[in-house]
Amino acid sequence: MRPRTHAELAEALTKREFGEDVITEVLDRYAEVGMIDDAAFANAWVTSRQRSKGLARRALGEELRRKGVDKELATLALEQLDDETERAAARELVARKLRGMSASVAPDAKMRRLVGMLARKGYPPGVAMSVVREMIAEAAEELELEPEE
């Protein structure tokens, strides 16, 4: 079981038909003793999901919003990701996908697939396009440098 946000716990208790006064009392007590900490949850969520899934700030912010994390707390948690970290994650995702992609795939199809993959992970179009162009160029250079047998 993973940690839950205040909003997730409130929703779960509401579904179980507890009264508002009971829900408020329980959640206030949980927050008081440190069992609910939306700021800590947001920081851990951003770190974990960025490392495991390679998600960009935009996608992570949307996930935090759906989890009921306050916008201000989400913004603070997302500040731990800078442009360089995000770009490095995008490069790794593209490199991994390129390794598994057939050499027979047309360059424009590669570009579309890779940019689409980054877009689904929340990367802005400009970042996605530039990273994909760089990585395709690097892959082409590597192929040219390999000695022929």
Side-chain angles (χ1 to χ4, degrees), residues 7 9 14 35 57 60 64 83 109 117 122 138:
L9 290 173
T14 301
M35 292 178 69
R57 285 177 284 214
L60 291 165
L64 290 173
D83 291 342
M117 180 257 311
E138 286 176 22

Side-chain angles (χ1 to χ4, degrees), residues 2 44-61 63 66-67 81 85-97 114 116-123:
R2 68 167 177 79
W45 187 264
V46 166
T47 300
S48 170
R49 299 288 287 174
Q50 199 279 326
R51 283 189 187 145
S52 67
K53 301 286 185 188
L55 298 178
R57 285 177 284 214
R58 188 177 80 207
L60 291 165
E63 286 186 350
R66 282 191 307 246
K67 299 279 179 209
L81 298 178
T85 304
E86 198 169 64
R87 191 170 185 84
R91 287 180 58 84
E92 178 57 35
L93 288 167
V94 171
R96 195 176 326 144
K97 193 77 167 179
L114 294 169
M117 180 257 311
L118 290 178
R120 286 186 298 280
K121 292 195 176 275
Y123 289 89

Side-chain angles (χ1 to χ4, degrees), residues 5-21:
T5 64
H6 188 277
E8 288 176 313
L9 290 173
E11 182 181 332
L13 292 171
T14 301
K15 282 182 182 177
R16 291 199 168 121
E17 299 180 1
F18 285 97
E20 277 299 314
D21 53 336

